[in-house]
Structure formats: C-alpha cells, structure tokens
Amino acid sequence: MINIKTAKELGLMRIACRITALARKAAADAVAPGVTTDEIDWAVRRVIEKAGAVPSFLGYGGFPASACISVNNEVIHGIPSKKRIVHEGDIVKVDVGAYIGGFHGDCACTIPCGKVSDEAQRLIEVTRQSFYEGIRFAREGNRVSDISSAVQAYVEANGFSVVRDYVGHGVGAQLHESPEVPNFGKPGHGIRLQRGMTLAIEPMVNAGTYQVHRLSDGWTVRTKDGKLSAHYENTVAITDGDPEILTNIDGEVL
C-alpha cells in the first residue's frame, strides 16, 4: 500500500528530514584522515539526539549503529567500528536517518577524504548528478520507472554501472515503505506518482560491474570486483509541481 501524506504529515516529515540532513552534514564535516568510522557515527548520533529525535537505523533489524558508513568498495550498510580508520584518498559513504513526530527522514552522500583520485571524484559527481537527473521525472502523473530509467541512462553514459540488488523506497511513518524505486529499468512502468508520496531516491553507482555481495557480518555490501562505489540519497516529496527535496538545510542540499 502506498502511504499518501497529508499537508500536516508533510510538515512533520520536513522536521524529521531537516534533522537527518543536519546529521549528514555533521558526518561530512567529521570525515578526515585518521578518524574512525565509529567517531563519524557518534557525530551523527549527537546531532540527531540533540534535536530530540531518534536515529532511525539504530537497532533497525538489529543494526548496531546510528549510521551506515561504507568505505571505498563497500557499497552500503557498512558497520561503524573503532578499528576502521579513514585514510587520505578514501571515499566514505554515510547513510543516515532520523525519527521524530512519527516520521522518518533518510539521506546519504559520498564524502572524499582529503585528495582523492580523479576517477573517485568523477564517480562521486556522477552519482550525485544521477539523482538530479532522476528527480526531473519525479512529478505527479509520471511513473516510478521514469525516475529509474533516467538515473541508469546518465550513469551508464558516463561509463559506470548502477547496483541492481538494492533500490530506493518510500519513506514516512516507516523507514521502508512502498513503492520500491530502482535505479534501473525502462520508462513507462510501475505505479504512477501521486501528490503526497514521499520517496527515498538513492542511486548506488559502481566504477565496475553492478554486481555486489554481502559480507558474513550480514550487513556490509561490497562490489564484487573490488572497484569503488558511491551512494547519494535524498527524501523527496511529490507535489503538484516540482518535486520537493525534504532532506535539506534551509534550502541547501549537501
């Protein structure tokens, strides 16, 4: 079932999403050579809890931290660790969520640690821009796959691949709601977008093959060929006009 949000519910989601965006910014600010992924996680948690919210991911399905932090060839769902040190040249994916007032926000980004390779920087930029290519089609009356197709076309035109095993999703009172929002597919398929839908649109883009595998910890997903991966996500509301990016900070989107 698709949960259509009322104007009041969208107002509550804006609050949750703003906190989520502030947590993402705190994570980005915390990334530096010598920092552990656990320290980045605590930066996220402090922002969320200071705002009176609860980290959406903490305890979700047994996940042990407030943020998913994935480095280099880790695609998503990396578990923060006091032993995992971030080094110059790494690319760090941070996925965060905050819950308050009955609703969740969800967003992610990929952060370069110091100076990174030209390929890594281009991968980050293409991944971010693929989100914006996709949301051009996040309009009332279009179909979910119109977003998906635009993301895939842009990514592949730039020589990268989109992950197939993990997709975006609806978000609201539940962290994961219907519908699924893949980053691949042909346009003109899937449900029609309706005003009041809220979607977590999140391209996951690999430098090599789109194939991935999950580690024995039950969470961390890596590229199958060991090449780099990037991730970018915002919570988006479908309106009667342009889509609204809810995970922003006073109009600024990381």
Side-chain angles (χ1 to χ4, degrees), residues 75-204:
V75 183
I76 51 172
H77 300 164
I79 300 173
S81 169
K82 293 178 181 178
K83 297 180 180 180
R84 185 69 183 272
I85 297 172
V86 177
H87 300 283
E88 178 92 12
D90 286 344
I91 63 172
V92 183
K93 283 131 284 181
V94 180
D95 192 354
V96 302
Y99 179 77
I100 190 171
F103 290 92
H104 294 270
D106 191 3
C107 64
C109 68
T110 303
I111 306 142
C113 181
K115 182 173 174 55
V116 301
S117 69
D118 291 344
E119 180 193 36
Q121 187 61 46
R122 195 168 78 86
L123 176 64
I124 292 170
E125 291 170 359
V126 167
T127 303
R128 186 179 190 276
Q129 184 58 35
S130 73
F131 165 84
Y132 287 97
E133 297 297 319
I135 67 165
R136 290 170 50 213
F137 297 89
R139 303 180 71 91
E140 189 174 24
N142 285 348
R143 294 187 182 272
V144 167
S145 71
D146 296 335
I147 300 171
S148 310
S149 176
V151 171
Q152 181 181 16
Y154 183 78
V155 167
E156 293 181 353
N158 280 277
F160 299 128
S161 64
V162 291
V163 171
R164 310 294 180 91
D165 292 1
Y166 298 88
V167 299
H169 52 90
V171 60
Q174 303 297 321
L175 183 57
H176 291 90
E177 298 182 349
S178 293
E180 290 190 340
V181 186
N183 296 303
F184 63 94
K186 296 181 179 179
H189 295 274
I191 66 158
R192 288 199 181 276
L193 301 174
Q194 302 175 58
R195 190 183 323 176
M197 290 174 61
T198 48
L199 307 173
I201 299 172
E202 51 176 323
M204 291 157 270

Side-chain angles (χ1 to χ4, degrees), residues 205-227:
V205 178
N206 294 347
T209 178
Y210 66 79
Q211 294 177 314
V212 299
H213 67 102
R214 188 168 62 180
L215 302 189
S216 59
D217 65 15
W219 287 101
T220 309
V221 175
R222 285 183 180 168
T223 57
K224 195 166 185 180
D225 59 9
K227 293 187 177 180

Side-chain angles (χ1 to χ4, degrees), residues 228-250:
L228 294 175
S229 183
H231 183 201
Y232 187 75
E233 175 186 25
N234 281 300
T235 299
V236 175
I238 306 300
T239 74
D240 58 357
D242 292 335
E244 179 184 354
I245 299 175
L246 300 177
T247 39
N248 61 25
I249 307 168
D250 301 328

Side-chain angles (χ1 to χ4, degrees), residues 36-101:
T36 67
T37 54
D38 181 71
E39 288 174 307
I40 300 168
D41 181 68
W42 274 101
V44 167
R45 184 168 180 173
R46 281 193 296 270
V47 167
I48 293 172
E49 293 183 342
K50 184 178 180 180
V54 175
S56 298
F57 300 170
L58 186 60
Y60 184 80
F63 190 75
S66 299
C68 299
I69 304 178
S70 312
V71 182
N72 293 336
N73 66 338
E74 296 169 352
V75 183
I76 51 172
H77 300 164
I79 300 173
S81 169
K82 293 178 181 178
K83 297 180 180 180
R84 185 69 183 272
I85 297 172
V86 177
H87 300 283
E88 178 92 12
D90 286 344
I91 63 172
V92 183
K93 283 131 284 181
V94 180
D95 192 354
V96 302
Y99 179 77
I100 190 171

